[in-house]
Amino acid sequence: MRTIDWVDGYPLIVDQTALPDDVRFVSLSTVDAVIDAIRRLAVRGAPALGVTGAMGVALAARLGGDIDGAVRRIRAARPTAVNLARGVDRAAVYLPDGFEAVLAEALAIRDAELIASQEMGRRGAVLVNELAGDHIRVLTHCNTGGLATVEYGTALACVRTLHERGQLAEVLVSETRPLLQGARLTTWELGELGIGHRLIADSAGPFLMARGQVDAVVLGADRICANGDVVNKIGSFMHALGAQAAGIPFVVVAPESTVDMEAKSGSDVDIEERDGSEILGFAGRRTAPRGTVGLNPAFDVTPYALITAVVTDARVVRFDQGDRP
Ligand code: MRU
């Protein structure tokens, strides 16, 4: 299933906030609708944000009005995944040539991400098999499947390929508080694919690794910095520390479009801080006492020294052997 596409003159997305209960497609008919979908995570995941950003620019070009303002606002809708700004910039280059040229670039980004997913899946599976053997119990965090890309995914494309090769024993899915991308989205995607999995609380990850119940951690990235630091969903750093303590591989799977050589290290990256209300309650119900103040960074930085390897659509970079992006 394509989770983002251009249909009848508009970007069409699967509304990820409605999953797993409803598979609801939403046509984004205005620039404000594109920005709102990005901000409330109706569309999310680094590669999907890149495609949405580019299609948002195409929509702005088609609708007319303050196109430069629209480009600026789409670009700033979320700060951390480099793919969004990059997708917007790539499409905006074609604005002087008119709507059709901008759309062609947005569709080219969509198609390239799709091919990248398949390539990452293949390369990632070969590496994880080499590092962790033939009967692999993978822990993954957040959602890195077709929903986060266009189809297939990044880390989840690797998991899927391992499954297709008969090398996967099970997937432990970390729930990913506070917005539950693991519990709502990854479980749903794995269920659709018929891949065996169990859901764990985020904080159970390092303990299960220490107990010998995980063979490899495989997850995605929102930005890969020049020194090898990886910015990804909050909680990734904790799993990396757990993997190091347990002596198991920690593998990052992400497309080249997520590599940002201008960010020298994780300290150069703007980490999105979301509304504290997201952690003051659960499933629409307040769980913290009234007056409690929330602090809600949406991403963290895993230092390169904790990472075994980064797999992209073009290369395998073995950090454990001294290689860097
Ligand atoms: O806040 P989100 O859900 O957009 O965060 C997404 C992640 O952190 C993913 O792990 C990352 O984008 C890689 S997705 C292929």
Side-chain angles (χ1 to χ4, degrees):
M1 173 172 91
R2 285 231 173 140
T3 51
I4 167 151
D5 217 336
W6 181 270
V7 177
D8 296 335
Y10 300 101
L12 184 78
I13 60 157
V14 174
D15 182 350
Q16 299 190 37
T17 63
L19 287 165
D21 297 327
D22 282 330
V23 183
R24 185 189 301 156
F25 285 85
V26 182
S27 181
L28 304 175
S29 56
T30 64
V31 167
D32 284 343
V34 171
I35 294 168
D36 180 60
I38 293 172
R39 286 208 180 122
R40 63 186 184 85
L41 273 53
V43 59
R44 48 147 296 284
L49 288 174
V51 176
T52 308
M55 287 186 179
V57 176
L59 182 65
R62 190 167 88 75
L63 299 178
D66 178 12
I67 297 176
D68 290 344
V71 167
R72 267 197 307 278
R73 288 191 304 121
I74 298 166
R75 198 179 191 280
R78 290 188 78 192
T80 305
V82 70
N83 302 62
L84 176 60
R86 200 166 262 171
V88 166
D89 292 348
R90 270 186 62 177
V93 165
Y94 291 89
L95 282 169
D97 304 324
F99 159 68
E100 294 290 349
V102 180
L103 179 61
E105 182 65 3
L107 298 182
I109 294 172
R110 175 201 65 187
D111 295 346
E113 288 296 358
L114 220 157
I115 292 166
S117 276
Q118 291 163 331
E119 194 54 38
M120 271 179 281
R122 196 187 59 73
R123 285 176 195 272
V126 170
L127 177 73
V128 173
N129 172 232
E130 198 180 305
L131 293 168
D134 266 338
H135 190 69
I136 309 165
R137 297 159 303 170
V138 169
L139 183 146
T140 193
H141 187 60
C142 198
N143 172 265
T144 63
L147 290 166
T149 54
V150 177
E151 240 181 295
Y152 300 106
T154 59
L156 224 58
C158 164
V159 165
R160 180 174 172 172
T161 310
L162 286 169
H163 169 72
E164 285 163 2
R165 293 169 161 223
Q167 292 167 332
L168 188 70
E170 92 165 320
V171 186
L172 293 179
V173 179
S174 178
E175 65 175 346
T176 320
R177 279 281 288 155
L179 297 181
L180 305 179
Q181 288 93 331
R184 294 186 302 107
L185 308 176
T186 302
T187 50
W188 179 75
E189 290 197 83
L190 290 172
E192 293 285 307
L193 293 166
I195 298 178
H197 59 280
R198 287 188 282 175
L199 181 64
I200 62 166
D202 295 328
S203 44
F207 170 69
L208 294 168
M209 295 177 214
R211 273 272 172 107
Q213 289 179 243
V214 182
D215 300 306
V217 177
V218 184
L219 38 64
D222 288 85
R223 206 182 285 234
I224 297 169
C225 306
N227 72 339
D229 287 353
V230 166
V231 180
N232 192 49
K233 179 54 55 194
I234 191 80
S236 304
F237 179 31
M238 169 186 76
H239 290 317
L241 288 167
Q244 186 195 43
I248 59 171
F250 183 91
V251 177
V252 175
V253 184
E256 288 289 331
S257 58
T258 299
V259 179
D260 180 9
M261 294 304 280
E262 279 168 33
K264 290 191 187 59
S265 74
S267 338
D268 287 347
V269 179
D270 186 358
I271 302 290
E272 177 181 7
E273 202 161 301
R274 294 186 63 84
D275 201 292
S277 61
E278 287 180 349
I279 55 168
L280 297 175
F282 193 81
R285 192 180 144 261
R286 188 171 49 77
T287 49
R290 279 184 208 291
T292 306
V293 177
L295 174 62
N296 188 15
F299 299 93
D300 62 24
V301 179
T302 299
Y304 65 84
L306 298 178
I307 297 168
T308 309
V310 166
V311 178
T312 76
D313 42 310
R315 53 198 166 135
V316 172
V317 190
R318 292 289 298 259
F319 287 19
D320 60 345
Q321 296 176 356
D323 300 340
R324 293 290 175 267

